[in-house]
Amino acid sequence: MRTSLPRYVSAVLLVTLPTWAQNVQTANVQAPALRLDIPHSSNPLDTYRATLVPQPNLANSPRIDSLVHDGVLELSLKDAITLSLENNLDLAIARYNIPIAEADILRTRAGGSFRGVNTGVVQNTPGGGVGGFGSGASGAGAGGTSGGAGGAGSGAAGLVQSTLGAGTIVQSYDPAVTGTFSNEHYTQPLSNLQTYGVPLLQQNTTIGNVGYSQSFPTGTTLSAAFQNNRVATNSFRTYLNPSLNTYYQVALQQQLLAGFGFGPNLRYLRIAKNNQKISDEAFKLQVITTITQIANMYWDLVAAYEDEGVKSRALDFARQTLDSGRKQLELQAIPAMDVMKDEAEVANREQDLTIAKTALQFQELLIKNALTKNLDDPILEAMPVRPTDSTSVSNTGVTGSTEDTIAEALRDRIELSESTIDLENRRISRSAARNALLPSVALTAYYGGTGLAGPPNPAANTPSTAPPDWTGSLRNAFNNTAPDYYVGVTLNVPIRNRVAKSDQYRSELEARQAELRMQQLKKQIRIEVRNAEYALEQSKARVESARKARELAQKTFDITAKEQELGAGSNYQTLTARRDLSAAESALVAAMTAYQKAKIELERSVGTTLDANQISIESARTGIAIGGD
């Protein structure tokens, strides 16, 4: 039997748009600038397009070329820090955590659960351990990443987070439109002619349905359905042929106990927003950690550079002494044994210089690795690095009292800020878990209507009061001639309720555990600050002692050299004094380096690293240092 496509079902063709849109050219968005919280786009098809992230830029910043002079990379501490902001891969990896946290917010705005964010610190750049009382090693997690304070669902820093986000099911807040269009031809053999009057019943059924549903953070769900079907048959005993049926329904459901209100239904979004704050704080901690590491590496480079100079001067003097001894031996002014001692001394000094040079080359390689995105250029890899800053000891010690410094640390340390936000997440989860203990009571109401139309079947020879076309069916469905309404309450009371009870109890325990961790962290920070202050005072005392020892060794060497010049001393005595002077100079270099590192550790423990180095967190976010020249 011939059928036609009703005009009213043409709208359901919109359901094919998502499939088509997958083939449309996808958008290309930079990861650090990713903004997923834009409410609407001018093009509705953008909803179905993938958002791609470009390949990472692995080219070194041009700044490094401007620091090369005569084949040598001349580097100040400020230059090193600036280059690390632009090129360090630990920072580059951590930058992706910021848009990842934004993506979680987009997901939870639609009612989806949060996936969590990484809040640990990436410490995969070898060469400089980050301080802290009882620490100094790189990250123990995957990829050199340390554990964070929150944001993940498994647990970190000894804390359990298994109930983070626990509570009732959250429905999707994104509207959903469904549609169905179908056309069926059905033939059924019949055993008698009494019912339909034909031996083979043939039916052509065309269906066009559209549905809409959306949930809201109050625990409300709204749904609507618009259903249409057209049935044509070969039976002459059917009064309407074809028969046109229309039905609509608008339904509303409201949770009254469990799942009621903004608290349990917006918990994912609130936790995701807090996780974004934690991610922002974690990135600051990443910058502080990286800057601390780079500063330690720089002063290790300075120490290796200065120690290489000490060993080189010691070798030069030993060679001069050996040349002088050989000339005196030719004149038979000294015994051959003295020359042999001079030769042994030269060999020892050559060994020391070789060790110092290789140590310097390794430090150069470490800092170049930390300040570049790649070392594929063999010229850059082999290029020597010359530090332009030298170690010095400030006469001013720690300003203010220790308690004031500790108070500053308790105010500025990122770890405390992270833990405070994480504790808020646990309290949100605790409230949602308490709500989930309640029975489920849902109030449901809907209203609808039915319409019928179709031309009378000429073969039936029976009059009909139904309108002849679909417009009449549509009119009758909405004119309240055949209403369909319902109001009801659904109650679900779980007996014993052990699953929800367990989750609620665990959430309480985890919140209390986090409170204790907060107190423990405060105590740890107090100890770190005091330890850093003690270390700074101790290193300053070591510097003064090493400087005096170096001055004494210099005077001793000057006296022995003068005695030898006047013929009252021997080459061996002078070489011994020169060896002691070199050892004193190396000890002074080591003490000065330890002092610089102690200052760096004090800044880290107090939380003033960014201010002390004039670091803009926005520059760190973008990887474009401002004012670094």
Side-chain angles (χ1 to χ4, degrees):
M1 181 172 290
R2 184 179 180 184
T3 61
S4 62
L5 177 64
R7 288 178 294 175
Y8 63 85
V9 300
S10 60
V12 302
L13 295 177
L14 290 174
V15 299
T16 61
L17 286 176
T19 304
W20 170 82
Q22 294 294 332
N23 298 323
V24 181
Q25 183 179 1
T26 55
N28 202 345
V29 181
Q30 289 283 350
L34 185 62
R35 295 301 303 271
L36 292 171
D37 55 349
I38 300 175
H40 296 288
S41 172
S42 59
N43 189 346
L45 297 182
D46 285 346
T47 301
Y48 312 105
R49 291 173 174 164
T51 301
L52 300 185
V53 178
Q55 291 289 330
N57 180 9
L58 299 181
N60 296 324
S61 62
R63 188 185 305 272
I64 196 167
D65 295 330
S66 65
L67 299 175
V68 177
H69 303 286
D70 298 327
V72 177
L73 178 59
E74 296 183 356
L75 204 62
S76 66
L77 177 59
K78 184 178 181 180
D79 293 331
I81 292 175
T82 303
L83 284 174
S84 69
L85 296 179
E86 296 176 342
N87 297 320
N88 186 267
L89 291 180
D90 284 353
L91 283 176
I93 292 171
R95 284 190 189 100
Y96 281 90
N97 290 329
I98 298 174
I100 286 174
E102 293 180 359
D104 239 14
I105 291 181
L106 176 68
R107 175 182 174 85
T108 54
R109 285 189 190 278
S113 61
F114 59 91
R115 294 190 180 277
V117 295
N118 175 40
T119 58
V121 174
V122 184
Q123 298 180 46
N124 216 20
T125 300
V130 179
F133 186 71
S135 65
S138 61
T145 305
S146 67
S154 57
L159 304 183
V160 180
Q161 296 179 336
S162 59
T163 61
L164 196 64
T168 55
I169 297 175
V170 178
Q171 303 294 332
S172 175
Y173 303 144
D174 281 353
V177 177
T178 60
T180 301
F181 171 74
S182 64
N183 189 18
E184 178 189 14
H185 176 78
Y186 173 74
T187 301
Q188 180 182 0
L190 301 176
S191 59
N192 64 78
L193 303 178
Q194 296 300 318
T195 303
Y196 294 101
V198 291
L200 290 174
L201 177 64
Q202 295 180 355
Q203 285 184 335
N204 285 339
T205 304
T206 302
I207 295 176
N209 298 335
V210 177
Y212 174 91
S213 64
Q214 182 179 4
S215 296
F216 300 90
T218 54
T220 309
T221 300
L222 173 66
S223 63
F226 184 50
Q227 301 173 356
N228 303 272
N229 66 73
R230 178 185 186 276
V231 180
T233 179
N234 65 338
S235 172
F236 60 85
R237 293 180 179 174
T238 303
Y239 296 127
L240 298 179
N241 194 17
S243 174
L244 305 174
N245 294 274
T246 298
Y247 177 77
Y248 82 93
Q249 182 189 88
V250 178
L252 192 70
Q253 185 179 76
Q254 175 64 54
Q255 299 296 329
L256 299 181
L257 289 179
F260 171 78
F262 294 110
N265 292 294
L266 288 181
R267 69 184 187 275
Y268 292 153
L269 177 59
R270 291 170 177 171
I271 290 175
K273 287 184 175 180
N274 284 338
N275 282 351
Q276 184 185 39
K277 296 177 182 178
I278 293 176
S279 184
D280 291 340
E281 294 298 306
F283 183 75
K284 291 181 183 179
L285 184 59
Q286 177 69 61
V287 176
I288 291 173
T289 302
T290 301
I291 297 305
T292 300
Q293 187 177 22
I294 296 301
N296 283 332
M297 294 172 65
Y298 184 84
W299 292 118
D300 284 339
L301 174 67
V302 171
Y305 183 79
E306 293 180 351
D307 191 58
E308 191 266 347
V310 170
K311 299 300 192 293
S312 180
R313 291 191 296 272
L315 176 60
D316 290 342
F317 182 81
R319 286 174 174 172
Q320 292 175 3
T321 302
L322 177 60
D323 291 341
S324 176
R326 286 173 175 171
K327 292 178 182 179
Q328 291 179 353
L329 179 62
E330 291 177 358
L331 298 175
Q332 297 183 350
I334 59 173
M337 183 64 68
D338 289 352
V339 176
M340 294 175 62
K341 291 180 180 180
D342 294 344
E343 290 176 346
E345 186 68 19
V346 169
N348 289 333
R349 300 291 75 78
E350 286 178 343
Q351 172 185 285
D352 292 344
L353 181 59
T354 299
I355 295 174
K357 282 186 174 181
T358 53
L360 174 60
Q361 291 171 356
F362 185 62
Q363 290 299 327
E364 290 173 340
L365 181 61
L366 287 177
I367 200 162
K368 284 186 291 185
N369 176 71
L371 304 183
T372 58
K373 293 181 181 177
N374 68 78
L375 278 175
D376 296 339
D377 185 359
I379 297 177
L380 178 60
E381 185 178 11
M383 184 179 297
V385 181
R386 180 184 302 154
T388 59
D389 291 351
S390 58
T391 55
S392 61
V393 177
S394 174
N395 293 326
T396 58
V398 179
T399 59
S401 65
T402 300
E403 286 303 320
D404 291 339
T405 306
I406 291 175
E408 183 180 2
L410 294 176
R411 183 193 66 206
D412 296 338
R413 281 289 290 268
I414 303 298
E415 296 91 331
L416 276 179
S417 177
E418 286 182 329
S419 295
T420 301
I421 302 172
D422 174 62
L423 187 57
E424 177 62 25
N425 280 348
R426 295 172 186 273
R427 289 168 179 165
I428 292 173
S429 299
R430 182 176 61 183
S431 298
R434 290 176 180 176
N435 175 265
L437 284 173
L438 300 175
S440 174
V441 179
L443 173 65
T444 304
Y446 66 78
Y447 186 88
T450 304
L452 176 65
N457 189 346
N461 194 21
T462 303
S464 173
T465 59
D469 54 18
W470 176 76
T471 57
S473 175
L474 181 65
R475 182 174 57 255
N476 287 341
F478 286 93
N479 65 6
N480 203 32
T481 57
D484 178 19
Y485 47 85
Y486 168 88
V487 176
V489 176
T490 303
L491 176 64
N492 182 7
V493 182
I495 305 301
R496 303 185 70 178
N497 206 21
R498 287 182 290 182
V499 173
K501 187 66 178 178
S502 173
D503 288 345
Q504 179 270 326
Y505 184 52
R506 282 180 65 103
S507 68
E508 298 280 347
L509 294 173
E510 291 174 14
R512 299 307 182 195
Q513 187 184 53
E515 291 173 356
L516 289 176
R517 171 57 181 163
M518 173 76 77
Q519 179 63 21
Q520 184 185 55
L521 187 58
K522 291 179 179 179
K523 292 177 61 180
Q524 178 181 337
I525 289 174
R526 296 180 71 92
I527 293 179
E528 285 186 9
V529 172
R530 291 182 181 274
N531 182 62
E533 287 186 341
Y534 297 153
L536 183 63
E537 292 300 319
Q538 292 170 0
S539 61
K540 188 174 182 180
R542 291 191 184 100
V543 169
E544 293 300 322
S545 175
R547 183 177 285 122
K548 291 179 180 179
R550 192 265 178 202
E551 293 173 355
L552 179 61
Q554 180 68 53
K555 292 178 180 179
T556 302
F557 169 70
D558 292 341
I559 292 172
T560 56
K562 189 65 175 178
E563 289 177 349
Q564 181 183 358
E565 182 180 348
L566 297 176
S570 65
N571 288 352
Y572 180 73
Q573 291 176 328
T574 306
L575 284 174
T576 301
R578 187 63 181 83
R579 184 194 312 152
D580 294 341
L581 175 59
S582 297
E585 289 177 339
S586 295
L588 179 59
V589 169
M592 295 285 283
T593 303
Y595 174 80
Q596 295 293 341
K597 289 187 173 183
K599 286 178 58 180
I600 295 169
E601 172 58 20
L602 180 60
E603 293 170 355
R604 187 207 65 82
S605 64
V606 178
T608 59
T609 300
L610 297 180
D611 293 337
N613 293 279
Q614 299 178 345
I615 300 299
S616 166
I617 198 65
E618 292 304 319
S619 297
R621 282 176 178 268
T622 59
I624 303 174
I626 301 175
D629 293 331

